Amino acid sequence: MKKSVLSIVLIVIAVLSFGKTLTIWVGGQVAELDETWNSVIKGFEQKYGIKVEVQLFGFDTYYDKLVTALQAGKGPDLAFADLGGWVPTFAEKGWLEPMEEQIKNWEGTPQIWPNLWPTVTYKGVRYGLPWYTDCRLLLYNKAMFEQAGLDPNNPPKTWSELLAAAQKITDAKNRVYGYGVSGTKTEHTTLGYMMFLYAAGGKLLTDDYSRAAFNTPEGLKALKFYTDLAKNYAVSPNAIQYHEDDYRNMMAQNRVAMSIGGPWSFPLIEAANPNIVGKYSVALHPYDSQPASVLGGWALVIPKSSPNKEDAWKLAAYLTSFDVWMKWVEEKGGPMPTRMDVCTKSMLANDPKWQVIFKTFPYAVARPPIPQYPQISEQIQIMVQRVLLNELTPEEAIKVAAENVNKILGAK
């Protein structure tokens, strides 16, 4: 009898302590950082007396799961949305709660990198709070460079140097490769092509986002070189099956020497192989005519269907607060905070790898912040795959992709 009474009392205390439960969906690379997430979420629960249920999804499945939930009006209270066009896309469909008033009055607003706000804005209203950002660079294995007789402190700077280094490192018989080309039907492939496109002096869309701008000599040159690395030069494993997350893990096992990566890569490659600490680094990605990078990251959004919108904002603001970000950086060494004050006041400021990142960030372009971007990205993925599979020549594939993108944009 006493045990029954005690059990009831404990249940009542638990209910009073956590009167409601918030759900947050986390996708992409951050989904792998479980330990820090548990600690951060526990801190929020203790501060606000609100229970938080975290659901983690891999990058390849997250978009479809989130869209399906939002369409059905059954989304979480708070969700991560890729800065590559997801927020304006979801806002246009009426799936998101505007955050403009909360953001205007939030203490952290002046600290968010200014070039991130357009990625979460639709028709002048902000629908997301940028949480982490990044810029893509060359991630490379210094030990593999040394083994191949290359200077690990002098990574390739141009496309020709990239090819030469990759060819010297590649030993296909022993499944060792110089560079990883992303060719899967995922966003990784779009980002890979964009890195080469902008490095060739091209661009994805016109400045007003009304037409395709990649069907040019620069865009074709980028497509040819990017796919040739895998097809003709054979310095990458079967690109149609792999993307940069796979290559990062292969790099940790000394099987791929170079790939596109970024600040999110550091804790993940070290988790894959703790012995690689100090044996990898980053550099500005090799370019043809100009330095280039692509800006990425994730924002926090509140679905319109959430019954707990006020508390969802509390969680979003908490996760993006100075103290929480400092904790995240101290424990994980990344990814790159959207807060400038954390970037300048944390341990990141004195890390050589992060100094490269901060120097590269000004070259980083954002993916078009328009609702049609996910459809456009799909066309780029299909274009690259058709070339890799020898279904179309680069000239044919880029022409078809540009025509399809123009149809998506309603261009005449």
Side-chain angles (χ1 to χ4, degrees):
M1 184 69 177
K2 288 183 179 179
K3 287 185 178 180
S4 299
V5 172
L6 179 59
S7 297
I8 293 172
V9 170
L10 290 175
I11 292 171
V12 171
I13 291 173
V15 171
L16 291 175
S17 299
F18 298 113
K20 63 180 69 176
T21 299
L22 285 177
T23 56
I24 176 173
W25 284 14
V26 184
Q29 290 86 0
V30 287
E32 300 176 51
L33 307 183
D34 297 341
E35 293 179 8
T36 299
W37 265 111
N38 291 339
S39 177
V40 167
I41 293 302
K42 184 176 180 181
F44 175 84
E45 291 176 334
Q46 292 175 341
K47 181 175 181 179
Y48 290 101
I50 300 172
K51 181 71 175 175
V52 178
E53 178 185 322
V54 183
Q55 294 189 37
L56 309 175
F57 301 91
F59 186 88
D60 292 348
T61 61
Y62 182 53
Y63 179 79
D64 290 339
K65 288 183 179 292
L66 182 58
V67 167
T68 299
L70 294 175
Q71 283 177 328
K74 297 179 180 179
D77 294 300
L78 189 68
F80 273 74
D82 195 303
L83 293 181
W86 290 20
V87 181
T89 299
F90 298 165
E92 181 203 36
K93 296 182 182 297
W95 294 344
L96 302 182
E97 183 72 7
M99 287 187 176
E100 188 64 36
E101 291 306 311
Q102 295 96 322
I103 289 172
K104 280 181 180 178
N105 299 314
W106 181 52
E107 58 82 24
T109 298
Q111 294 298 334
I112 302 296
W113 293 93
N115 56 342
L116 295 177
W117 289 122
T119 66
V120 296
T121 301
Y122 177 66
K123 290 187 175 180
V125 177
R126 288 173 283 195
Y127 286 83
L129 178 60
W131 187 71
Y132 93 67
T133 188
D134 57 55
C135 59
R136 302 184 116 67
L137 308 100
L138 181 73
L139 181 71
Y140 70 99
N141 184 313
K142 297 173 72 173
M144 292 180 72
F145 267 59
E146 289 181 345
Q147 279 188 335
L150 297 170
D151 184 355
N153 298 313
N154 186 29
K157 298 178 178 62
T158 64
W159 284 2
S160 59
E161 291 177 1
L162 170 66
L163 176 58
Q167 287 178 317
K168 192 165 186 179
I169 293 168
T170 297
D171 180 2
K173 289 182 179 179
N174 291 309
R175 298 191 301 167
V176 173
Y177 296 91
Y179 185 86
V181 173
S182 294
T184 57
K185 198 168 183 292
T186 65
E187 184 71 4
H188 299 97
T189 296
T190 303
L191 293 168
Y193 173 67
M194 285 180 67
M195 288 286 287
F196 285 79
L197 172 66
Y198 283 86
K203 57 184 177 180
L204 192 64
L205 302 180
T206 56
D207 291 340
D208 61 359
Y209 308 127
S210 65
R211 296 185 64 85
F214 58 89
N215 189 10
T216 61
E218 294 82 8
L220 181 59
K221 185 177 185 180
L223 179 60
K224 284 183 175 179
F225 187 72
Y226 184 65
T227 53
D228 275 349
L229 286 170
K231 276 181 51 182
N232 296 330
Y233 299 122
V235 298
S236 176
N238 192 351
I240 207 76
Q241 294 181 345
Y242 301 116
H243 55 61
E244 64 184 54
D245 288 353
D246 302 306
Y247 295 131
R248 182 187 61 242
N249 291 329
M250 292 180 191
M251 187 180 297
Q253 305 305 323
N254 300 310
R255 289 181 53 207
V256 171
M258 297 178 282
S259 72
I260 293 172
W264 66 90
S265 306
F266 305 158
L268 300 177
I269 194 171
E270 291 176 13
N273 178 14
N275 293 326
I276 202 169
V277 175
K279 298 177 182 177
Y280 74 95
S281 193
V282 289
L284 177 68
H285 195 277
Y287 58 91
D288 180 49
S289 65
Q290 63 186 32
S293 180
V294 180
L295 177 155
W298 293 85
L300 291 159
V301 296
I302 302 173
K304 203 82 171 177
S305 58
S306 169
N308 304 303
K309 297 181 179 67
E310 185 176 337
D311 291 325
W313 166 256
K314 289 179 183 177
L315 179 56
Y318 180 82
L319 291 173
T320 320
S321 65
F322 178 83
D323 290 342
V324 167
W325 255 119
M326 288 293 284
K327 171 184 172 63
W328 194 283
V329 168
E330 293 296 328
E331 291 187 8
K332 294 294 182 181
M336 181 174 172
T338 54
R339 295 186 64 116
M340 294 181 288
D341 51 359
V342 178
C343 291
T344 57
K345 295 178 181 178
S346 68
M347 56 184 271
L348 302 181
N350 299 316
D351 187 306
K353 294 194 297 295
W354 281 96
Q355 290 173 6
V356 174
I357 292 164
F358 296 147
K359 288 178 181 177
T360 302
F361 198 70
Y363 297 118
V365 298
R367 286 162 281 178
I370 55 175
Q372 300 93 329
Y373 175 74
Q375 295 172 270
I376 293 168
S377 177
E378 183 179 30
Q379 292 304 314
I380 299 300
Q381 296 161 30
I382 293 171
M383 174 185 75
V384 172
Q385 287 201 324
R386 283 178 167 174
V387 177
L388 290 172
L389 293 169
N390 292 315
E391 293 178 357
L392 296 175
T393 65
E395 291 82 0
E396 293 168 339
I398 202 169
K399 181 176 182 291
V400 171
E403 289 173 351
N404 289 340
V405 167
N406 285 335
K407 288 177 184 177
I408 291 168
L409 293 171
K412 297 180 180 179

